[in-house]
mmCIF file of all heavy atoms in Angstrom:
data_model
loop_
_atom_site.group_PDB
_atom_site.id
_atom_site.type_symbol
_atom_site.label_atom_id
_atom_site.label_comp_id
_atom_site.label_asym_id
_atom_site.label_seq_id
_atom_site.Cartn_x
_atom_site.Cartn_y
_atom_site.Cartn_z
ATOM 1 N N TRP A 37 106.024 68.941 87.264
ATOM 2 C CA TRP A 37 105.660 67.542 87.031
ATOM 3 C C TRP A 37 104.147 67.365 87.006
ATOM 4 O O TRP A 37 103.642 66.244 87.094
ATOM 5 C CB TRP A 37 106.268 66.632 88.107
ATOM 6 C CG TRP A 37 107.742 66.736 88.187
ATOM 7 C CD1 TRP A 37 108.455 67.132 89.260
ATOM 8 C CD2 TRP A 37 108.681 66.448 87.141
ATOM 9 N NE1 TRP A 37 109.814 67.114 88.995
ATOM 10 C CE2 TRP A 37 110.007 66.714 87.673
ATOM 11 C CE3 TRP A 37 108.601 66.021 85.826
ATOM 12 C CZ2 TRP A 37 111.166 66.580 86.937
ATOM 13 C CZ3 TRP A 37 109.754 65.884 85.097
ATOM 14 C CH2 TRP A 37 111.021 66.145 85.641
ATOM 15 N N ARG A 38 103.413 68.458 86.930
ATOM 16 C CA ARG A 38 101.952 68.273 86.849
ATOM 17 C C ARG A 38 101.575 67.700 85.499
ATOM 18 O O ARG A 38 102.338 67.800 84.533
ATOM 19 C CB ARG A 38 101.252 69.629 87.068
ATOM 20 C CG ARG A 38 101.350 70.589 85.879
ATOM 21 C CD ARG A 38 100.658 71.904 86.224
ATOM 22 N NE ARG A 38 100.455 72.754 85.104
ATOM 23 C CZ ARG A 38 101.310 73.746 84.738
ATOM 24 N NH1 ARG A 38 102.421 73.915 85.421
ATOM 25 N NH2 ARG A 38 101.037 74.487 83.698
ATOM 26 N N SER A 39 100.377 67.097 85.454
ATOM 27 C CA SER A 39 99.883 66.545 84.168
ATOM 28 C C SER A 39 99.733 67.618 83.111
ATOM 29 O O SER A 39 99.337 68.747 83.469
ATOM 30 C CB SER A 39 98.558 65.860 84.343
ATOM 31 O OG SER A 39 98.639 64.868 85.385
ATOM 32 N N PRO A 40 100.082 67.336 81.897
ATOM 33 C CA PRO A 40 100.005 68.351 80.873
ATOM 34 C C PRO A 40 98.627 68.973 80.804
ATOM 35 O O PRO A 40 97.621 68.283 80.780
ATOM 36 C CB PRO A 40 100.330 67.613 79.581
ATOM 37 C CG PRO A 40 101.081 66.401 79.988
ATOM 38 C CD PRO A 40 100.554 66.034 81.371
ATOM 39 N N GLY A 41 98.566 70.237 80.806
ATOM 40 C CA GLY A 41 97.291 70.973 80.700
ATOM 41 C C GLY A 41 96.503 71.117 81.980
ATOM 42 O O GLY A 41 95.519 71.849 82.029
ATOM 43 N N ASN A 42 96.946 70.422 83.015
ATOM 44 C CA ASN A 42 96.186 70.514 84.259
ATOM 45 C C ASN A 42 96.481 71.836 84.979
ATOM 46 O O ASN A 42 97.610 72.211 85.173
ATOM 47 C CB ASN A 42 96.515 69.361 85.207
ATOM 48 C CG ASN A 42 95.739 69.442 86.499
ATOM 49 O OD1 ASN A 42 94.583 69.818 86.504
ATOM 50 N ND2 ASN A 42 96.422 69.167 87.603
ATOM 51 N N LEU A 43 95.388 72.499 85.385
ATOM 52 C CA LEU A 43 95.540 73.765 86.085
ATOM 53 C C LEU A 43 94.975 73.682 87.513
ATOM 54 O O LEU A 43 95.057 74.662 88.263
ATOM 55 C CB LEU A 43 94.819 74.901 85.336
ATOM 56 C CG LEU A 43 95.248 75.129 83.868
ATOM 57 C CD1 LEU A 43 94.403 76.225 83.278
ATOM 58 C CD2 LEU A 43 96.733 75.604 83.873
ATOM 59 N N ARG A 44 94.333 72.557 87.858
ATOM 60 C CA ARG A 44 93.653 72.463 89.166
ATOM 61 C C ARG A 44 94.445 71.516 90.061
ATOM 62 O O ARG A 44 94.890 70.449 89.654
ATOM 63 C CB ARG A 44 92.232 72.004 88.977
ATOM 64 C CG ARG A 44 91.392 72.989 88.199
ATOM 65 C CD ARG A 44 89.988 72.539 88.168
ATOM 66 N NE ARG A 44 89.240 72.965 89.334
ATOM 67 C CZ ARG A 44 88.075 72.480 89.674
ATOM 68 N NH1 ARG A 44 87.456 71.569 88.907
ATOM 69 N NH2 ARG A 44 87.456 72.899 90.740
ATOM 70 N N PHE A 45 94.484 71.896 91.335
ATOM 71 C CA PHE A 45 95.283 71.168 92.321
ATOM 72 C C PHE A 45 94.484 71.031 93.630
ATOM 73 O O PHE A 45 93.671 71.884 93.924
ATOM 74 C CB PHE A 45 96.593 71.852 92.613
ATOM 75 C CG PHE A 45 97.392 72.187 91.413
ATOM 76 C CD1 PHE A 45 97.359 73.503 90.906
ATOM 77 C CD2 PHE A 45 98.089 71.236 90.729
ATOM 78 C CE1 PHE A 45 98.063 73.811 89.751
ATOM 79 C CE2 PHE A 45 98.787 71.545 89.565
ATOM 80 C CZ PHE A 45 98.793 72.832 89.067
ATOM 81 N N ASP A 46 94.816 70.033 94.402
ATOM 82 C CA ASP A 46 94.387 69.984 95.774
ATOM 83 C C ASP A 46 95.396 70.706 96.626
ATOM 84 O O ASP A 46 96.603 70.494 96.469
ATOM 85 C CB ASP A 46 94.268 68.495 96.249
ATOM 86 C CG ASP A 46 93.132 67.797 95.594
ATOM 87 O OD1 ASP A 46 92.056 68.423 95.393
ATOM 88 O OD2 ASP A 46 93.316 66.612 95.200
ATOM 89 N N LEU A 47 94.909 71.564 97.477
ATOM 90 C CA LEU A 47 95.800 72.301 98.401
ATOM 91 C C LEU A 47 95.557 71.769 99.820
ATOM 92 O O LEU A 47 94.507 72.025 100.384
ATOM 93 C CB LEU A 47 95.544 73.787 98.313
ATOM 94 C CG LEU A 47 95.609 74.387 96.934
ATOM 95 C CD1 LEU A 47 95.144 75.858 96.953
ATOM 96 C CD2 LEU A 47 97.015 74.301 96.362
ATOM 97 N N GLN A 48 96.544 71.041 100.337
ATOM 98 C CA GLN A 48 96.378 70.491 101.672
ATOM 99 C C GLN A 48 96.852 71.523 102.693
ATOM 100 O O GLN A 48 97.969 72.018 102.601
ATOM 101 C CB GLN A 48 97.173 69.188 101.808
ATOM 102 C CG GLN A 48 96.900 68.464 103.107
ATOM 103 C CD GLN A 48 97.751 67.194 103.242
ATOM 104 O OE1 GLN A 48 98.180 66.607 102.247
ATOM 105 N NE2 GLN A 48 98.025 66.809 104.459
ATOM 106 N N LEU A 49 96.011 71.804 103.672
ATOM 107 C CA LEU A 49 96.288 72.783 104.692
ATOM 108 C C LEU A 49 96.951 72.169 105.898
ATOM 109 O O LEU A 49 96.867 70.932 106.120
ATOM 110 C CB LEU A 49 95.001 73.489 105.113
ATOM 111 C CG LEU A 49 94.176 74.153 103.986
ATOM 112 C CD1 LEU A 49 92.817 74.610 104.501
ATOM 113 C CD2 LEU A 49 94.938 75.294 103.391
ATOM 114 N N PRO A 50 97.627 72.976 106.755
ATOM 115 C CA PRO A 50 98.246 72.406 107.950
ATOM 116 C C PRO A 50 97.308 71.660 108.858
ATOM 117 O O PRO A 50 97.735 70.731 109.562
ATOM 118 C CB PRO A 50 98.827 73.636 108.651
ATOM 119 C CG PRO A 50 99.051 74.609 107.521
ATOM 120 C CD PRO A 50 97.926 74.355 106.568
ATOM 121 N N ASP A 51 96.032 72.015 108.816
ATOM 122 C CA ASP A 51 95.104 71.318 109.711
ATOM 123 C C ASP A 51 94.545 70.022 109.073
ATOM 124 O O ASP A 51 93.634 69.389 109.625
ATOM 125 C CB ASP A 51 93.936 72.205 110.144
ATOM 126 C CG ASP A 51 93.107 72.671 108.947
ATOM 127 O OD1 ASP A 51 93.304 72.191 107.859
ATOM 128 O OD2 ASP A 51 92.266 73.584 109.122
ATOM 129 N N GLY A 52 95.089 69.632 107.929
ATOM 130 C CA GLY A 52 94.705 68.368 107.307
ATOM 131 C C GLY A 52 93.615 68.511 106.275
ATOM 132 O O GLY A 52 93.408 67.571 105.450
ATOM 133 N N ARG A 53 92.906 69.641 106.226
ATOM 134 C CA ARG A 53 91.834 69.803 105.250
ATOM 135 C C ARG A 53 92.467 70.029 103.889
ATOM 136 O O ARG A 53 93.636 70.482 103.769
ATOM 137 C CB ARG A 53 90.999 71.030 105.588
ATOM 138 C CG ARG A 53 90.064 70.842 106.801
ATOM 139 C CD ARG A 53 89.222 72.065 106.967
ATOM 140 N NE ARG A 53 90.016 73.246 107.261
ATOM 141 C CZ ARG A 53 89.622 74.505 106.963
ATOM 142 N NH1 ARG A 53 88.482 74.697 106.374
ATOM 143 N NH2 ARG A 53 90.408 75.527 107.276
ATOM 144 N N SER A 54 91.678 69.743 102.858
ATOM 145 C CA SER A 54 92.089 70.034 101.488
ATOM 146 C C SER A 54 91.088 70.970 100.833
ATOM 147 O O SER A 54 89.879 70.884 101.045
ATOM 148 C CB SER A 54 92.182 68.768 100.657
ATOM 149 O OG SER A 54 93.408 68.181 100.817
ATOM 150 N N VAL A 55 91.596 71.932 100.092
ATOM 151 C CA VAL A 55 90.755 72.837 99.305
ATOM 152 C C VAL A 55 91.266 72.792 97.856
ATOM 153 O O VAL A 55 92.368 72.352 97.611
ATOM 154 C CB VAL A 55 90.773 74.271 99.858
ATOM 155 C CG1 VAL A 55 90.241 74.310 101.301
ATOM 156 C CG2 VAL A 55 92.184 74.890 99.798
ATOM 157 N N LEU A 56 90.381 73.262 96.955
ATOM 158 C CA LEU A 56 90.807 73.276 95.541
ATOM 159 C C LEU A 56 91.465 74.537 95.166
ATOM 160 O O LEU A 56 91.066 75.644 95.664
ATOM 161 C CB LEU A 56 89.568 73.042 94.657
ATOM 162 C CG LEU A 56 89.013 71.599 94.576
ATOM 163 C CD1 LEU A 56 87.738 71.610 93.775
ATOM 164 C CD2 LEU A 56 90.051 70.668 93.970
ATOM 165 N N GLY A 57 92.462 74.454 94.296
ATOM 166 C CA GLY A 57 93.128 75.647 93.781
ATOM 167 C C GLY A 57 93.282 75.569 92.291
ATOM 168 O O GLY A 57 93.256 74.461 91.720
ATOM 169 N N ARG A 58 93.390 76.730 91.680
ATOM 170 C CA ARG A 58 93.519 76.798 90.220
ATOM 171 C C ARG A 58 94.667 77.742 89.889
ATOM 172 O O ARG A 58 94.756 78.827 90.425
ATOM 173 C CB ARG A 58 92.219 77.350 89.617
ATOM 174 C CG ARG A 58 92.164 77.303 88.139
ATOM 175 C CD ARG A 58 90.827 77.835 87.587
ATOM 176 N NE ARG A 58 90.703 77.553 86.179
ATOM 177 C CZ ARG A 58 90.241 76.422 85.674
ATOM 178 N NH1 ARG A 58 89.835 75.465 86.458
ATOM 179 N NH2 ARG A 58 90.188 76.244 84.354
ATOM 180 N N LEU A 59 95.542 77.239 88.995
ATOM 181 C CA LEU A 59 96.716 78.052 88.581
ATOM 182 C C LEU A 59 96.201 79.327 87.894
ATOM 183 O O LEU A 59 95.476 79.232 86.875
ATOM 184 C CB LEU A 59 97.609 77.254 87.662
ATOM 185 C CG LEU A 59 98.863 77.930 87.175
ATOM 186 C CD1 LEU A 59 99.783 78.338 88.347
ATOM 187 C CD2 LEU A 59 99.619 77.044 86.180
ATOM 188 N N ARG A 60 96.603 80.478 88.408
ATOM 189 C CA ARG A 60 96.128 81.749 87.815
ATOM 190 C C ARG A 60 97.203 82.427 86.972
ATOM 191 O O ARG A 60 96.928 83.061 85.976
ATOM 192 C CB ARG A 60 95.672 82.674 88.910
ATOM 193 C CG ARG A 60 94.307 82.369 89.469
ATOM 194 C CD ARG A 60 93.209 82.659 88.493
ATOM 195 N NE ARG A 60 93.100 84.057 88.115
ATOM 196 C CZ ARG A 60 92.410 84.961 88.800
ATOM 197 N NH1 ARG A 60 91.758 84.610 89.888
ATOM 198 N NH2 ARG A 60 92.377 86.195 88.409
ATOM 199 N N GLU A 61 98.429 82.310 87.396
ATOM 200 C CA GLU A 61 99.474 83.004 86.686
ATOM 201 C C GLU A 61 100.839 82.350 86.909
ATOM 202 O O GLU A 61 101.131 81.874 88.009
ATOM 203 C CB GLU A 61 99.539 84.473 87.112
ATOM 204 C CG GLU A 61 100.343 85.314 86.158
ATOM 205 C CD GLU A 61 100.060 86.807 86.275
ATOM 206 O OE1 GLU A 61 99.034 87.186 86.899
ATOM 207 O OE2 GLU A 61 100.869 87.584 85.727
ATOM 208 N N GLU A 62 101.652 82.328 85.870
ATOM 209 C CA GLU A 62 103.009 81.861 85.931
ATOM 210 C C GLU A 62 103.967 83.034 85.558
ATOM 211 O O GLU A 62 103.647 83.717 84.576
ATOM 212 C CB GLU A 62 103.255 80.724 84.945
ATOM 213 C CG GLU A 62 102.324 79.577 85.046
ATOM 214 C CD GLU A 62 102.586 78.579 83.936
ATOM 215 O OE1 GLU A 62 103.720 78.464 83.430
ATOM 216 O OE2 GLU A 62 101.645 77.857 83.559
ATOM 217 N N ILE A 63 105.002 83.213 86.341
ATOM 218 C CA ILE A 63 106.005 84.187 85.924
ATOM 219 C C ILE A 63 107.330 83.400 85.730
ATOM 220 O O ILE A 63 108.047 83.107 86.691
ATOM 221 C CB ILE A 63 106.199 85.323 86.979
ATOM 222 C CG1 ILE A 63 104.854 86.002 87.161
ATOM 223 C CG2 ILE A 63 107.242 86.303 86.548
ATOM 224 C CD1 ILE A 63 104.860 87.105 88.185
ATOM 225 N N LYS A 64 107.557 83.022 84.509
ATOM 226 C CA LYS A 64 108.664 82.076 84.237
ATOM 227 C C LYS A 64 110.010 82.666 84.582
ATOM 228 O O LYS A 64 110.868 81.963 85.156
ATOM 229 C CB LYS A 64 108.584 81.657 82.752
ATOM 230 C CG LYS A 64 107.396 80.737 82.479
ATOM 231 C CD LYS A 64 107.327 80.277 81.081
ATOM 232 C CE LYS A 64 106.079 79.347 80.947
ATOM 233 N NZ LYS A 64 105.703 79.091 79.620
ATOM 234 N N ASP A 65 110.251 83.929 84.298
ATOM 235 C CA ASP A 65 111.591 84.465 84.518
ATOM 236 C C ASP A 65 111.879 84.592 86.008
ATOM 237 O O ASP A 65 113.077 84.573 86.427
ATOM 238 C CB ASP A 65 111.747 85.800 83.847
ATOM 239 C CG ASP A 65 110.939 86.894 84.498
ATOM 240 O OD1 ASP A 65 109.682 86.909 84.316
ATOM 241 O OD2 ASP A 65 111.469 87.728 85.205
ATOM 242 N N ALA A 66 110.845 84.640 86.854
ATOM 243 C CA ALA A 66 111.073 84.712 88.296
ATOM 244 C C ALA A 66 110.805 83.406 88.963
ATOM 245 O O ALA A 66 110.929 83.310 90.205
ATOM 246 C CB ALA A 66 110.192 85.799 88.890
#
Side-chain angles (χ1 to χ4, degrees):
Chain A
W37 304 119
R38 72 183 193 266
S39 302
N42 179 40
L43 301 177
R44 296 184 84 193
F45 309 100
D46 290 320
L47 305 173
Q48 188 182 335
L49 305 172
D51 62 10
R53 288 183 298 152
S54 274
V55 298
L56 283 175
R58 187 179 190 85
L59 181 61
R60 282 291 296 273
E61 193 162 346
E62 305 175 28
I63 301 178
K64 289 182 178 165
D65 69 286

